[in-house]
Amino acid sequence: MGNYSPDDFTATWARHDLGEVVVSAKEVHDRVLELGRQISLDYAENPPLLVCVLKGAINFMSDLMRAVELPVEVDFMAVSSYGAATKTSGVVRIVKDLDVDLAGRDVLIVEDVVDSGLTLNYLRQYLGARSPASLEVCALLLKEGEQRVQQSLRYVGFSIPADFVVGYGLDVNEKYRNLDAIYTYVGGA
Ligand code: IMP
Ligand code: MG
């Protein structure tokens, strides 16, 4: 994974709060295409329902759905976890639920980052109770060594160190989602 390069570092307005590039825009782009290809192969017989977990997964979902060459359907749900800003409490509140029925569907949850795994664990139980034919996860980022709940993730974009990161959908106080690369966050002053 890359270090700083001028090409990656176009976000002058955010410069003070960003540390190093954890995943460059090019690395994200290339990996999302790979994931799309793999999903296209794995689900060729049964195009999945892609479930985007708002808001963090919007950038990933938008790119991934276009990289899958199958007639996928998409839906969105929004969750928020109570607790401190940069750590999840594991208590998840459903802010927006899905619109479609999951019964008999092959469902692929599209997540931004798995940290403790508590959010995903909750989501799996919540959605799993609706009788999908299958329920798998495609996570862009997996924080190494942080999982408090064992996860079986069918697709992972990148394993990254446990630092807090922003960009490509990931936020601090709703900001930095519109960056194309993923950076460590060093702001907070
Ligand atoms: P978990 O429940 O600890 O796995 O945390 C998952 C959720 O916390 C993600 O869906 C994100 O919304 C948020 N989160 C965890 N780590 C980060 C990070 O490094 N940057 C931004 N959001 C994060
Ligand atoms: Mg968030």
Side-chain angles (χ1 to χ4, degrees), residues 175-189:
K175 291 209 281 277
Y176 312 110
R177 296 192 197 274
N178 57 327
L179 302 175
D180 278 331
I182 296 165
Y183 304 83
T184 55
Y185 176 73
V186 297

PDB file of all heavy atoms in Angstrom, residues 175-189:
ATOM      1  N   LYS A 175     -17.585  14.396   7.887  1.00  0.00           N
ATOM      2  CA  LYS A 175     -16.680  14.988   6.895  1.00  0.00           C
ATOM      3  C   LYS A 175     -15.686  13.958   6.339  1.00  0.00           C
ATOM      4  O   LYS A 175     -15.460  12.923   6.931  1.00  0.00           O
ATOM      5  CB  LYS A 175     -15.928  16.171   7.507  1.00  0.00           C
ATOM      6  CG  LYS A 175     -16.851  17.356   7.787  1.00  0.00           C
ATOM      7  CD  LYS A 175     -16.116  18.674   7.695  1.00  0.00           C
ATOM      8  CE  LYS A 175     -15.315  18.933   8.956  1.00  0.00           C
ATOM      9  NZ  LYS A 175     -16.112  19.508  10.028  1.00  0.00           N
ATOM     10  N   TYR A 176     -15.105  14.307   5.227  1.00  0.00           N
ATOM     11  CA  TYR A 176     -14.057  13.551   4.518  1.00  0.00           C
ATOM     12  C   TYR A 176     -14.602  12.394   3.683  1.00  0.00           C
ATOM     13  O   TYR A 176     -13.838  11.662   3.083  1.00  0.00           O
ATOM     14  CB  TYR A 176     -12.978  13.014   5.479  1.00  0.00           C
ATOM     15  CG  TYR A 176     -12.474  14.037   6.441  1.00  0.00           C
ATOM     16  CD1 TYR A 176     -12.793  13.950   7.799  1.00  0.00           C
ATOM     17  CD2 TYR A 176     -11.736  15.116   6.002  1.00  0.00           C
ATOM     18  CE1 TYR A 176     -12.358  14.915   8.686  1.00  0.00           C
ATOM     19  CE2 TYR A 176     -11.300  16.091   6.879  1.00  0.00           C
ATOM     20  CZ  TYR A 176     -11.619  15.985   8.230  1.00  0.00           C
ATOM     21  OH  TYR A 176     -11.199  16.940   9.081  1.00  0.00           O
ATOM     22  N   ARG A 177     -15.919  12.226   3.643  1.00  0.00           N
ATOM     23  CA  ARG A 177     -16.477  11.115   2.853  1.00  0.00           C
ATOM     24  C   ARG A 177     -16.156  11.278   1.374  1.00  0.00           C
ATOM     25  O   ARG A 177     -16.124  10.312   0.623  1.00  0.00           O
ATOM     26  CB  ARG A 177     -18.004  11.054   3.011  1.00  0.00           C
ATOM     27  CG  ARG A 177     -18.496  10.751   4.411  1.00  0.00           C
ATOM     28  CD  ARG A 177     -19.981  10.424   4.365  1.00  0.00           C
ATOM     29  NE  ARG A 177     -20.639  10.508   5.659  1.00  0.00           N
ATOM     30  CZ  ARG A 177     -20.690   9.532   6.557  1.00  0.00           C
ATOM     31  NH1 ARG A 177     -20.065   8.388   6.331  1.00  0.00           N
ATOM     32  NH2 ARG A 177     -21.334   9.687   7.694  1.00  0.00           N
ATOM     33  N   ASN A 178     -15.955  12.513   0.942  1.00  0.00           N
ATOM     34  CA  ASN A 178     -15.785  12.793  -0.489  1.00  0.00           C
ATOM     35  C   ASN A 178     -14.334  12.773  -0.949  1.00  0.00           C
ATOM     36  O   ASN A 178     -14.023  13.278  -2.031  1.00  0.00           O
ATOM     37  CB  ASN A 178     -16.425  14.144  -0.839  1.00  0.00           C
ATOM     38  CG  ASN A 178     -15.863  15.297  -0.018  1.00  0.00           C
ATOM     39  OD1 ASN A 178     -15.502  15.097   1.134  1.00  0.00           O
ATOM     40  ND2 ASN A 178     -15.794  16.487  -0.589  1.00  0.00           N
ATOM     41  N   LEU A 179     -13.472  12.159  -0.177  1.00  0.00           N
ATOM     42  CA  LEU A 179     -12.093  11.960  -0.639  1.00  0.00           C
ATOM     43  C   LEU A 179     -12.001  10.632  -1.387  1.00  0.00           C
ATOM     44  O   LEU A 179     -12.659   9.664  -1.013  1.00  0.00           O
ATOM     45  CB  LEU A 179     -11.133  11.933   0.554  1.00  0.00           C
ATOM     46  CG  LEU A 179     -11.133  13.176   1.442  1.00  0.00           C
ATOM     47  CD1 LEU A 179     -10.230  12.955   2.660  1.00  0.00           C
ATOM     48  CD2 LEU A 179     -10.688  14.396   0.651  1.00  0.00           C
ATOM     49  N   ASP A 180     -11.162  10.585  -2.402  1.00  0.00           N
ATOM     50  CA  ASP A 180     -11.054   9.369  -3.210  1.00  0.00           C
ATOM     51  C   ASP A 180     -10.097   8.332  -2.647  1.00  0.00           C
ATOM     52  O   ASP A 180     -10.137   7.165  -3.032  1.00  0.00           O
ATOM     53  CB  ASP A 180     -10.617   9.719  -4.637  1.00  0.00           C
ATOM     54  CG  ASP A 180     -11.800  10.163  -5.484  1.00  0.00           C
ATOM     55  OD1 ASP A 180     -12.928   9.699  -5.213  1.00  0.00           O
ATOM     56  OD2 ASP A 180     -11.604  10.971  -6.398  1.00  0.00           O
ATOM     57  N   ALA A 181      -9.211   8.773  -1.756  1.00  0.00           N
ATOM     58  CA  ALA A 181      -8.293   7.825  -1.122  1.00  0.00           C
ATOM     59  C   ALA A 181      -8.691   7.655   0.345  1.00  0.00           C
ATOM     60  O   ALA A 181      -9.554   8.373   0.852  1.00  0.00           O
ATOM     61  CB  ALA A 181      -6.857   8.333  -1.231  1.00  0.00           C
ATOM     62  N   ILE A 182      -8.045   6.708   1.004  1.00  0.00           N
ATOM     63  CA  ILE A 182      -8.308   6.461   2.424  1.00  0.00           C
ATOM     64  C   ILE A 182      -7.059   6.835   3.210  1.00  0.00           C
ATOM     65  O   ILE A 182      -5.947   6.405   2.868  1.00  0.00           O
ATOM     66  CB  ILE A 182      -8.700   4.979   2.640  1.00  0.00           C
ATOM     67  CG1 ILE A 182     -10.019   4.698   1.896  1.00  0.00           C
ATOM     68  CG2 ILE A 182      -8.836   4.663   4.126  1.00  0.00           C
ATOM     69  CD1 ILE A 182     -10.329   3.225   1.734  1.00  0.00           C
ATOM     70  N   TYR A 183      -7.256   7.670   4.222  1.00  0.00           N
ATOM     71  CA  TYR A 183      -6.149   8.254   4.984  1.00  0.00           C
ATOM     72  C   TYR A 183      -6.312   7.952   6.469  1.00  0.00           C
ATOM     73  O   TYR A 183      -7.444   7.819   6.956  1.00  0.00           O
ATOM     74  CB  TYR A 183      -6.164   9.774   4.863  1.00  0.00           C
ATOM     75  CG  TYR A 183      -6.122  10.335   3.470  1.00  0.00           C
ATOM     76  CD1 TYR A 183      -7.276  10.446   2.718  1.00  0.00           C
ATOM     77  CD2 TYR A 183      -4.920  10.774   2.901  1.00  0.00           C
ATOM     78  CE1 TYR A 183      -7.248  10.986   1.439  1.00  0.00           C
ATOM     79  CE2 TYR A 183      -4.896  11.305   1.623  1.00  0.00           C
ATOM     80  CZ  TYR A 183      -6.051  11.421   0.896  1.00  0.00           C
ATOM     81  OH  TYR A 183      -6.022  11.947  -0.356  1.00  0.00           O
ATOM     82  N   THR A 184      -5.222   7.936   7.197  1.00  0.00           N
ATOM     83  CA  THR A 184      -5.365   7.968   8.651  1.00  0.00           C
ATOM     84  C   THR A 184      -5.819   9.376   9.030  1.00  0.00           C
ATOM     85  O   THR A 184      -5.553  10.347   8.336  1.00  0.00           O
ATOM     86  CB  THR A 184      -4.049   7.654   9.381  1.00  0.00           C
ATOM     87  OG1 THR A 184      -3.033   8.551   8.931  1.00  0.00           O
ATOM     88  CG2 THR A 184      -3.606   6.222   9.130  1.00  0.00           C
ATOM     89  N   TYR A 185      -6.542   9.423  10.141  1.00  0.00           N
ATOM     90  CA  TYR A 185      -7.067  10.700  10.614  1.00  0.00           C
ATOM     91  C   TYR A 185      -6.222  11.142  11.795  1.00  0.00           C
ATOM     92  O   TYR A 185      -6.068  10.401  12.761  1.00  0.00           O
ATOM     93  CB  TYR A 185      -8.511  10.533  11.034  1.00  0.00           C
ATOM     94  CG  TYR A 185      -9.125  11.762  11.633  1.00  0.00           C
ATOM     95  CD1 TYR A 185      -9.445  12.860  10.822  1.00  0.00           C
ATOM     96  CD2 TYR A 185      -9.361  11.854  12.997  1.00  0.00           C
ATOM     97  CE1 TYR A 185      -9.998  13.997  11.364  1.00  0.00           C
ATOM     98  CE2 TYR A 185      -9.920  13.001  13.552  1.00  0.00           C
ATOM     99  CZ  TYR A 185     -10.225  14.065  12.724  1.00  0.00           C
ATOM    100  OH  TYR A 185     -10.767  15.203  13.265  1.00  0.00           O
ATOM    101  N   VAL A 186      -5.661  12.350  11.688  1.00  0.00           N
ATOM    102  CA  VAL A 186      -4.794  12.829  12.767  1.00  0.00           C
ATOM    103  C   VAL A 186      -5.326  14.150  13.333  1.00  0.00           C
ATOM    104  O   VAL A 186      -4.650  14.789  14.140  1.00  0.00           O
ATOM    105  CB  VAL A 186      -3.334  13.007  12.303  1.00  0.00           C
ATOM    106  CG1 VAL A 186      -2.740  11.670  11.875  1.00  0.00           C
ATOM    107  CG2 VAL A 186      -3.244  14.023  11.165  1.00  0.00           C
ATOM    108  N   GLY A 187      -6.507  14.562  12.907  1.00  0.00           N
ATOM    109  CA  GLY A 187      -7.078  15.822  13.377  1.00  0.00           C
ATOM    110  C   GLY A 187      -7.701  15.667  14.752  1.00  0.00           C
ATOM    111  O   GLY A 187      -7.398  14.741  15.494  1.00  0.00           O
ATOM    112  N   GLY A 188      -8.597  16.556  15.047  1.00  0.00           N
ATOM    113  CA  GLY A 188      -9.309  16.456  16.328  1.00  0.00           C
ATOM    114  C   GLY A 188      -9.040  17.611  17.251  1.00  0.00           C
ATOM    115  O   GLY A 188      -9.619  17.694  18.333  1.00  0.00           O
ATOM    116  N   ALA A 189      -8.174  18.534  16.822  1.00  0.00           N
ATOM    117  CA  ALA A 189      -7.867  19.667  17.688  1.00  0.00           C
ATOM    118  C   ALA A 189      -9.056  20.621  17.743  1.00  0.00           C
ATOM    119  O   ALA A 189      -9.864  20.660  16.828  1.00  0.00           O
ATOM    120  CB  ALA A 189      -6.657  20.397  17.163  1.00  0.00           C
TER     121      ALA A 189
END
